[in-house]
Amino acid sequence: MKHSRLTPARLTLTLLVLSGLLLITVVLSLCFGSTSYRPWQLLGNGPDAALARDVVLELRLPRTLAAIAVGGLLALAGALQQVLLRNPLADPYILGTSGGASVGALLALLLGAGVAAVNLAAGCGALLSITLVFILARKDHSRSQARLLLTGVAIASFCGALSSLLLSLAPDGLLRGMVFWMLGDLAGARWQLALALLLALLLLVWPLARQLNVLSQGAQTAHALGANTRKLQWLLYFVAAAATAISVTTAGMIGFIGLIVPHALRLVLGHDQRLLLPAVALTGGTVLLAADIASRIILAPQQLPVGVITALAGVPIFLWLLQHRGVAR
């Protein structure tokens, strides 16, 4: 598919449209849930208004902000890893980055660590897993990076086995919460750190978009054009690991956002990272927020883990993309 040249007008219009879609989804998230309270009931008086404030401001609003932040982080991490590997099938879940973060976080939870220690352990686990993948597959110079992807799948499976081991060792008091968290859960998620990190990482990598455009053509081509590929690659490793770690500690294991969102947007918007990076951050938040709304209303008042919704919807959507649109390179 051919795409028009990126101009300031096209960049602005696209981001405004995506921001509008996100805003509409935010309003829906504040309106719908496992109870019938709506935001306009906040303006009244009496017990119903007080309950509406508790539901909308204390439950739905933090959950909404957490979904925006986590979805944006996962989509951004997926987009950066796909640039690094020059392969649209790369994402934090498949490459084992999410699995490494999960192992670190579960181990810290099992040891009774606090929030800061859990975040640090998740970050170390994510960075260790992504570094291990690239070290084991460092001799893979093929364009599709098939060996690196297979290594990532193996590391992800190993991390899954370690997570299962940690769950089997967990006491009954912790086990249910850990299992529900492993399925992906936004209930009670702390959004402040995730949203701040999303904005910080986006501001860090967006100025490098032109270099990423060059890097996406291959490390040798980028080096021939004067780019410091080694430093840029390691920066992207750290950014992807940090984004994945915070998303995992905030909401647990949520798959397919980092895979489908960048892949679909490249089909629609093209490959220019100046547009793609902010677009995936906005769209990732919108998609995860829509999945969270579905998780709240499908079996209301019972709430489903949002990771289950993304997996159930993500598999057929991705298969449809492969069948009807091909793989975007």
Side-chain angles (χ1 to χ4, degrees):
M1 177 184 294
K2 292 183 178 180
H3 302 277
S4 59
R5 178 176 173 270
L6 182 63
T7 62
R10 179 173 175 245
L11 175 64
T12 302
L13 179 60
T14 303
L15 296 184
L16 284 176
V17 170
L18 293 177
S19 299
L21 291 175
L22 177 59
L23 182 60
I24 292 172
T25 313
V26 167
V27 173
L28 293 175
S29 178
L30 296 179
C31 288
F32 295 100
S34 57
T35 62
S36 60
Y37 291 107
R38 303 291 183 257
W40 52 83
Q41 293 179 271
L42 300 174
L43 304 177
N45 295 313
D48 285 343
L51 286 173
R53 279 191 289 271
D54 289 339
V55 170
V56 175
L57 298 181
E58 301 298 328
L59 296 178
R60 292 181 188 169
L61 181 59
R63 186 166 180 152
T64 297
L65 295 174
I68 293 172
V70 171
L73 286 171
L74 289 173
L76 182 62
L80 294 178
Q81 289 185 340
Q82 288 167 15
V83 170
L84 277 170
L85 274 67
R86 306 189 307 281
N87 193 309
L89 300 181
D91 89 318
Y93 199 86
I94 291 177
L95 287 181
T97 317
S98 294
S102 177
V103 170
L106 287 177
L107 181 60
L109 288 171
L110 190 60
L111 297 176
V115 175
V118 171
N119 289 336
L120 179 61
C124 292
L127 185 59
L128 178 61
S129 63
I130 193 172
T131 303
L132 185 60
V133 168
F134 281 95
I135 288 176
L136 292 176
R138 65 186 181 277
K139 295 181 180 179
D140 184 6
H141 301 298
S142 65
R143 180 169 180 79
S144 64
Q145 299 282 291
R147 179 175 176 177
L148 196 148
L149 277 175
L150 292 174
T151 304
V153 171
I155 296 297
S157 299
F158 181 70
C159 290
L162 286 179
S163 297
S164 299
L165 176 62
L166 292 174
L167 289 174
S168 68
L169 297 175
D172 293 340
L174 284 176
L175 183 58
R176 178 175 174 79
M178 292 171 71
V179 170
F180 207 81
W181 176 83
M182 282 286 292
L183 297 175
D185 181 27
L186 288 165
R190 301 185 180 187
W191 57 270
Q192 293 89 342
L193 178 59
L195 190 58
L197 185 69
L198 173 62
L199 295 175
L201 294 181
L202 191 58
L203 291 174
L204 176 64
V205 298
W206 198 13
L208 305 174
R210 291 183 182 274
Q211 297 181 51
L212 295 181
N213 286 336
V214 176
L215 184 63
S216 65
Q217 303 302 314
Q220 292 181 346
T221 302
H223 183 73
L225 293 175
N228 190 341
T229 56
R230 180 63 60 184
K231 184 181 294 185
L232 182 60
Q233 286 174 332
W234 277 109
L235 174 63
L236 297 183
Y237 296 160
F238 279 103
V239 169
T244 304
I246 295 302
S247 66
V248 168
T249 55
T250 302
M253 297 285 287
I254 297 175
F256 287 98
I257 298 294
L259 176 63
I260 291 176
V261 171
H263 183 84
L265 286 181
R266 269 196 308 274
L267 291 171
V268 176
L269 303 178
H271 299 258
D272 196 324
Q273 300 297 321
R274 292 174 294 171
L275 175 58
L276 198 60
L277 290 177
V280 297
L282 289 169
T283 308
T286 302
V287 170
L288 185 57
L289 186 54
D292 185 55
I293 296 172
S295 74
R296 285 181 261 159
I297 64 177
I298 288 177
L299 295 178
Q302 182 178 352
Q303 296 183 3
L304 300 174
V306 68
V308 173
I309 301 297
T310 60
L312 290 175
V315 171
I317 290 174
F318 186 66
L319 291 176
W320 182 87
L321 286 172
L322 288 178
Q323 292 292 324
H324 295 274
R325 304 301 299 272
V327 176
R329 292 190 182 277

